[in-house]
Amino acid sequence: STLAAEKRLLDGCENSQVSARAGSMNEDEVESRPELDQQALDLSSGRFSESSPERFRHLKVLLLSGAPLATEDLTKVLMWAPSLWKLDASYCSLAALPELELWQRMSNIKSLLLHKNLLAKWQDVECAASPGNLEWLTLYGNPITSQPEYQTHVLSVATTLIALDLRVLTDEEHLAVTETGAERRPAG
């Protein structure tokens, strides 16, 4: 069943409606190809700038890795791009995430990459883990992940996860959390 979960995760990435070529295009290349309907946008490595909400509306994949972002910038992304299924906001120096309600509205998101930021509060973990169909979440390299109860807490919130950080989760890991019941937010 762990193997099946890993295959589902990989199949979801390979069989997406977004072409691999579109995912590697920069902003100007995507704009010049209307047939892509802006389903993928790479604004990584500092290329993120304020844009109009219309540019984000139909996005399925948004790469922001390495772009210095404030919480307010990510709030705009979540409001403007409700159809995202993959968001990479790793290496963005994020010290906090937008409010929980915005994350809960992200019903299509399956892959959320937030590793190597500055997230240090349980509230941030809960926000990141809250989208209802989330399958892969990365938070490694954030200060909060050094807490011993990190994985257990993530799994108590994100019950649909197949992979956490850089590894596929086992059925035993999910069952251990289920058997002990949902944990309250750890102290701190």
Side-chain angles (χ1 to χ4, degrees):
S1 57
T2 300
L3 187 56
E6 186 172 0
K7 181 169 177 15
R8 274 196 334 249
L9 181 65
L10 292 174
D11 286 347
C13 292
E14 291 170 4
N15 296 329
S16 74
Q17 298 173 3
V18 180
S19 75
R21 174 72 180 121
S24 65
M25 292 179 143
N26 69 32
E27 189 173 357
D28 295 328
E29 290 173 312
V30 171
E31 277 183 359
S32 68
R33 304 260 321 260
E35 72 276 11
L36 294 176
D37 194 27
Q38 295 222 280
Q39 290 185 351
L41 195 54
D42 184 356
L43 300 176
S44 58
S45 300
R47 294 191 308 230
F48 179 79
S49 62
E50 281 205 36
S51 298
S52 66
E54 295 80 32
R55 298 203 54 219
F56 290 81
R57 188 179 356 199
H58 299 290
L59 286 180
K60 303 290 184 214
V61 176
L62 180 57
L63 307 177
L64 298 170
S65 183
L69 296 177
T71 304
E72 297 76 28
D73 297 325
L74 196 52
T75 297
K76 289 176 185 175
V77 166
L78 296 180
M79 291 187 325
W80 292 351
S83 299
L84 284 178
W85 67 263
K86 178 181 180 180
L87 174 61
D88 183 352
S90 58
Y91 297 94
C92 291
S93 301
L94 287 165
L97 293 180
E99 60 188 60
L100 181 64
E101 292 76 25
L102 287 173
W103 292 102
Q104 290 172 332
R105 284 189 243 160
M106 300 301 291
S107 61
N108 295 320
I109 201 155
K110 292 184 180 292
S111 178
L112 180 57
L113 310 177
L114 294 169
H115 54 276
K116 300 286 185 167
N117 278 296
L118 305 171
L119 305 173
K121 296 181 180 173
W122 288 115
Q123 175 183 344
D124 296 319
V125 171
E126 291 164 9
C127 289
S130 68
N133 292 310
L134 193 62
E135 294 180 358
W136 183 23
L137 174 63
T138 65
L139 288 167
Y140 67 89
N142 284 287
I144 193 66
T145 63
S146 64
Q147 299 300 313
E149 58 273 26
Y150 159 69
Q151 179 175 311
T152 303
H153 189 60
V154 169
L155 292 179
S156 71
V157 177
T159 58
T160 59
L161 274 186
I162 295 171
L164 177 60
D165 294 329
L166 297 176
R167 61 184 204 78
V168 174
L169 297 163
T170 65
D171 291 339
E172 290 78 18
E173 290 169 314
H174 278 287
L175 287 172
V177 172
T178 304
E179 289 172 359
T180 60
E183 293 190 359
R184 294 181 182 265
R185 180 185 294 179

